[in-house]
Amino acid sequence: AQKVTQAQTEISVVEKEDVTLDCVYETRDTTYYLFWYKQPPSGELVFLIRRNSFDEQNEISGRYSWNFQKSTSSFNFTITASQVVDSAVYFCALSPLFLTGGGNKLTFGTGTQLKVEL
Amino acid sequence: GAVVSQHPSWVICKSGTSVKIECRSLDFQATTMFWYRQFPKQSLMLMATSNEGSKATYEQGVEKDKFLINHASLTLSTLTVTSAHPEDSSFYICSARLVSGGSYEQYFGPGTRLTVT
C-alpha cells in the first residue's frame, strides 16, 4: 500500500520568509514518481514538479526548490522569499513509475495549507 | 501542453436528481481517466479508474450504482451522480493519463463543484 504523509496541516508565514513543506511517503514499489501540486482557492490543481525515484538530485525552479531524500523517504518543498500569491494548499503525491494495468493511481497526502501574510 | 476540461465547472441540483459531469481530454487520447472527490479542507480521494471501452474500477467504499462512470470514447469520460443527496456535495476532479513511449503523464481537469440542496 502507498501512503503519503504531510504532517503540517497549516503554516502561516510573513511575506519574504522562507518556508519548507514536509512530505514523507511509504511504498513497497522500488520505482515511483513523486509530485507536488498547488491548489489555490479556485480549486484547480497546478502541477509543480514530478521526480522519479532514480533521481535524487535536488531541484530548483525560481523561488521553489525540492529536496528528495530516499534514505528518509522524504520529498520536501521549500519556497524562498514567500509571497502572498503563494497562499494555497500544497499536496504531495506518489504514483508508480512504470505503466501498470491498474492505471497508475496517484496517492495524495492530506495537504498543507500555506498562508502568507503581509 | 495537454489540456483536460470538465463541464460544468459548478452545478447546483436538488436532492434526488441526477447530475452528469463530463471530463474531456482536448488534445490527446486517454484510454484511462480517473475521478477524484474532494471534500472541503480535505485531500483528493480517488473514486474510480475509468477505462475506455470497459467497466470502471471503483475504489473500496465507492458505490458504483450511485456514481456511474462511462468512458465511451478516447477523449470523454462521464461521471453521473444518481439520486444525489446533500452529502454528495463535493468538488469532483478528473484526470486523464497520456501514455507516451512507455511512460505516462497525468493531467488534471479544473474540477466541478457540486452542491446538492
Side-chain angles (χ1 to χ4, degrees):
Chain A
Q2 300 188 26
K3 185 179 179 182
V4 177
T5 301
Q6 294 180 254
Q8 304 149 309
T9 305
E10 187 172 319
I11 301 176
S12 289
V13 298
V14 176
E15 204 175 36
K16 296 184 183 177
E17 285 185 1
D18 298 346
V19 58
T20 295
L21 309 181
D22 298 332
C23 172
V24 174
Y25 62 93
E26 296 175 32
T27 179
R28 292 179 183 170
D29 293 338
T30 54
T31 57
Y32 46 86
Y33 281 124
L34 291 163
F35 303 80
W36 275 96
Y37 289 90
K38 174 182 180 180
Q39 188 178 44
S42 65
E44 184 164 359
L45 281 177
V46 178
F47 169 82
L48 296 178
I49 189 171
R50 181 179 80 170
R51 298 307 299 268
N52 72 56
S53 51
F54 297 115
D55 185 1
E56 285 193 70
Q57 281 194 344
N58 293 334
E59 180 150 344
I60 298 175
S61 176
R63 296 185 297 109
Y64 296 168
S65 62
W66 291 270
N67 183 281
F68 177 25
Q69 298 274 353
K70 211 168 178 178
S71 59
T72 56
S73 297
S74 65
F75 186 44
N76 296 337
F77 172 34
T78 297
I79 301 175
T80 303
S82 60
Q83 299 176 2
V84 173
V85 292
D86 296 327
S87 297
V89 180
Y90 290 85
F91 290 100
C92 181
L94 170 72
S95 77
L97 190 146
F98 295 111
L99 283 173
T100 70
N104 300 100
K105 302 178 211 180
L106 268 172
T107 300
F108 284 86
T110 49
T112 298
Q113 170 78 61
L114 173 64
K115 294 184 179 179
V116 182
E117 299 165 334
L118 292 171
Chain B
V3 178
V4 176
S5 70
Q6 279 184 245
H7 179 79
S9 54
W10 60 269
V11 57
I12 301 172
C13 71
K14 292 188 176 181
S15 189
T17 62
S18 296
V19 61
K20 181 186 285 187
I21 302 170
E22 293 184 349
C23 177
R24 292 182 186 272
S25 54
L26 297 185
D27 48 4
F28 66 99
Q29 294 182 331
T31 55
T32 302
M33 293 184 175
F34 303 89
W35 287 96
Y36 296 83
R37 179 169 53 183
Q38 185 182 30
F39 291 110
K41 297 190 184 296
Q42 293 190 24
S43 187
L44 283 78
M45 298 303 297
L46 180 66
M47 299 175 66
T49 302
S50 170
N51 299 296
E52 187 268 337
S54 64
K55 291 183 179 180
T57 303
Y58 290 82
E59 295 299 299
Q60 195 171 8
V62 177
E63 299 174 60
K64 61 180 180 181
D65 294 330
K66 180 169 185 60
F67 298 99
L68 301 178
I69 290 173
N70 188 337
H71 194 156
S73 79
L74 289 172
T75 59
L76 173 64
S77 175
T78 59
L79 168 68
T80 301
V81 184
T82 62
S83 188
H85 288 103
E87 56 265 31
D88 298 323
S89 298
S90 187
F91 191 54
Y92 292 86
I93 305 175
C94 75
S95 70
R97 188 179 74 172
L98 170 60
V99 177
S100 174
S103 185
Y104 72 95
E105 303 271 355
Q106 256 196 60
Y107 297 93
F108 283 86
T112 296
R113 201 165 297 279
L114 169 64
T115 302
V116 184
T117 61

